[in-house]
Structure formats: structure tokens, C-alpha cells
Amino acid sequence: MAQDDDHQPDETADPVIDPWGSDTIEDYRELFEHFGIEPFEEVFDGIPSPHHLMRRGVIFGHRDYGRVLEAMQKDEPFAALSGFMPTGEPHVGHKMVFDELVWHQQHGGEVYGLVADLEAHSARGMSWEEIDEYAKAYVLSFLAAGFDPETGTLYRQSANREVQDLAFEIGIEANFSEMQSIYGFDGETDVSHLQSVITQAADILYPQLVHGPLPTIIPVGPDQDPHVRLTRDLAARTRYFGVTRAYASFEADSDELELLETAYSTREIYAEDAETPRCGEAAAWLDASETDDPKTKAGAIEKLRNAGKEPLEPRVRLLVRKAPPQAFEALIEAVEGKKRVYDAHIDCFDLELEEAEQLARTIELETGGYGFIPPSSFYHRFISGLTGGKMSSSVEASHISLLDDPEVGARKVEEATTGGRETAALQRELGGQADDCPVYELYAYVLAGEDDELAETVYRECVGGERLCGDCKTQAAELMREFLEEHQAKRAEWEDRLDELDIELMTDRKLGR
Ligand code: TRP
Ligand code: SF4
């Protein structure tokens, strides 16, 4: 069943990632440990013609991306969605998200790009005039990066009534204590800020509202992971039914289930009649067996003993969660083969787990539920600022805006900090530190594009001491000039075609802040 069963440590004991903060992520590995993000390498081999950000390790972690890849490989529907807060001009860091979305569109996904204007207004205090200006800037750069608005969808949070209605519904599943522990909100947090969080959860689930349940990838920076975690939980909480395995009428947790599975498969050894092994017999056998987990063992034995003469018989159990009575009735009707019906669950003896999950989702959809599949995500490294630290729209020299004059962009590259040594002689001797160089990042993340050869050459020559920073930056500056010229030419083309788009770029909300 589509429950979020990720390992999730106690929230209160964990560090809080602040999606609106200015902290840089110091230790990406910590994210794996604390928040259960999986290393991206694990899914890499299953990716058809991986994007350069995947090949170069810029995308480093994921949640459940395998689900999306499977759909992609089988030519089944999947979606990709990300959002942009219009708080300034889009910069080369945002270009990565544009590229990731476009790549999924080229691989057959239903792609959504949204302007997070409600969030910008409430969490960042942007006026609607500013928001309108930047919303347009984002949309143009997204189009220039190759997004096809004919097959994909663009929207603004403020103009999407379905998203706002969905936010209202799933907001019922979230409470304030949870907001406090995830985001560090307190009594001073304004209500619209809370609303923007639940709106983002609705954004993330929106493709499933449009197309019905489908795997959805949310490509974002790791600072957005709290939103992804929250949404996965909320999506699970709206589900009508839970699905689990069981071996007898009692309930067991997942560790106990493993022991029961072992006990069942060993029945020939201890059961008087291997056709009908008794729970009591299994308890005695388990008692004499070796396990590393005495507590689970004791729990399982007690449950088996209490069940006594009841036969041990594998089954799939469908449990009522959010289902209204008529949905439960419909599910009872729909289960084929041998079944036993209880107050709030059904034991099914002729259904496989996956069939049961599908059936539960189908009935949920037929009886008015959403049937959400937990959304997947992956995370890219943040591109460093040209002056060191984080690339930030508010520090002029730290970032290259996609709207920068190509000459200005080139000059910023020429003036960037590098991972070079103090003197040319030292650089020749020790090699440069490409791993710590914002200019190398520009090559790898943006400038080299599909040209792996170029990215590898720069790296090899740098660390080998054959490349000096002056020439290296001149080459990068030239590529930046070309990139910006090309990007801006495409923006200009789209500027003339804005009326073809299904998105309203001017709002009539004009209450300033
Ligand atoms: N919070 C995101 C940001 O700060 C913007 C956003 C809104 C978003 N809704 C989203 C991102 C849904 C991904 C998915 O930029
Ligand atoms: Fe960076 Fe290039 Fe200097 Fe290496 S040679 S440290 S990649 S600027």
C-alpha cells in the first residue's frame, strides 16, 4: 500500500531544515542519515539517457525515484512538477530545475511548472507588482530552456482554484504542532505563511488531481525536502484503506510479520498436519529457534500462543482508514475468492499484495477518494555563489541572472573566486582545487551542457596543474557570454508569443506590502 514507510526518525530530535532560511547545506550526507534521503547512484543505472546533472553527480539524492523510472521504462504515465518563487530574477541555479523538468517532458512526462506567488507574497513579503514582473521573467526563462507549453502546464498558485481547494482538504490532515516541529513555526508565524505551506503540498499532488494517481517527481533543492516529507505523509493520511500481510486473525508489526513468515514457511518441521499448522505449534517452534531480536520474538510468541489452535494461514489484509462506510461496502463486494470480513478489515486469501493495493485504490477512486501515490523527489546540489558561499539573488556579484547582459555575465565569471593556488608555480605543482571552485561548478552544471568531454577535460587539467585560473576563467566567460546570448534570444522569441500561453501574467491583486 502506498503508505509512507520511510525510516523517519523522531522529528523533534532532528535538526530543522528551514526552506526560507539562508543556511547553506554543509553536509549532504547528514541529509541521508537524518531524513532518509537515498543516494542517487542507487537508481542511476535504471535511467534512460541520463541528464548531465545526473551523470555529473549534481543530483545526489532522492526519495522513491524508482517508482517514476519504472513508469518511464514501461511507457506508463508519470508527472514532474516544480515551483518557482518569484522573489527576484531567475539565475543559473534555477536553470538546473528548468532543465530537469524539460528532461522529464522529453522522456514522456506530464510536466508542471508553477509560480509560487502566494508563497512569495506571504513568506517573502513581495508586493504583487514585483511578483508579476518576476513571474514573467521565470516563465520566459523556463520556455527558453525548452519547456513545451502545448503538452505541459504552467500556473500561478493564486489563480489555481483547484490547488487551493485541495490545499484546504489536505490541510485537515495537518495540525499546528506538526508545522512547528517540521518548520520551526511559532506563535508569531502568520497564518498566510502556514497556508502557503499547505498550498505547496497541494501543488505537489496537483498532477494526481488532474490525471488521477500517477508517479510524480518533484525535482528541487534539498531545502525543499521538508515540504516533500510533509506531502508524502499527508497523501498517505488521505488514503481510504491500508494493505498489509497477515498470517492469522491477530495484528502484527512488520518485524513480527517477518518472524511469522519464517514460522509459516517452516511449518513442515513442526506441524502435526502441515496443511493446517496451528499458531500454538508455531509458538513452540519459534520459542526454541534463534533470533537476534528477542523483543520481537517474545511479542510474536505471545500473539501466537493467544491464538492457540487457530491455523496459521497467509492472507492479505485490507484495513479501513479514511474510508466512509459505503467505500468499505464496495470493497467487500469487490474482493474475489475466499475472504473473511470483520468490523474494519477484510482478510483476503486469494489476493496478492499488489492486486489488493490496486483494488483498494480503484475502489477509493470510485467512491470519492483521491488514491494518491506518494510523490517522489530528487535533490541537486546548490550551485556556489561566484564570490563563495551560496548563490543568492540578493548579492549581485554572487549570481549570474539569466537576464544579465552577456557582457556583465562574462565579467562576473572573470571576477569569480576560484579553487586556484596562490601562485601559478604552486598551481603547476599542486594542481587546482576543482572540487572547491565555483568556476568549475559553472562548467559542470551549466556551461558544458551535454559535452562531458569538456567537463572532464577542465577537471583533469585543473587538478593536474596544467590549467591556470586566468585562462580557465576566460574560456568560461566566453561560454557564459554565448549561453546568455542564446538564452536571451529564445526569451525574446517567447516574449512575442506570450498570448499563446494559458497563464495570466498580470494579477489584479494590488494590495502592496
Ligand atoms: N517553495 C518553493 C521555493 O521556495 C516553491 C514551490 C512552491 C515549489 N510549490 C512548489 C517547489 C511545489 C516544488 C514543488 O522555491
Ligand atoms: Fe577553478 Fe579553473 Fe582555476 Fe581549476 S583552473 S581552480 S577549475 S578556475
Side-chain angles (χ1 to χ4, degrees), residues 81-85 114 116 119 157 200 203-204 218 220 224:
L81 171 142
S82 200
F84 307 96
M85 222 192 332
L114 67 100
E119 185 183 4
Q157 287 177 324
Q200 176 155 355
D203 287 331
I204 292 173
I218 312 296
V220 274
Q224 298 295 304

Side-chain angles (χ1 to χ4, degrees), residues 17 50 66 88 134-135 145 160 215 232 248 287 318 392 417 423 441 474 482:
I17 302 179
Y134 296 135
N160 192 328
R232 286 170 60 89
D287 203 9
L318 290 159
S392 154
T417 349
T423 64
E441 277 179 36
T474 304
E482 283 166 21

Side-chain angles (χ1 to χ4, degrees), residues 419-430:
R421 307 285 175 180
E422 263 108 80
T423 64
L426 263 182
Q427 177 109 341
R428 288 204 184 85
E429 188 190 326
L430 301 173

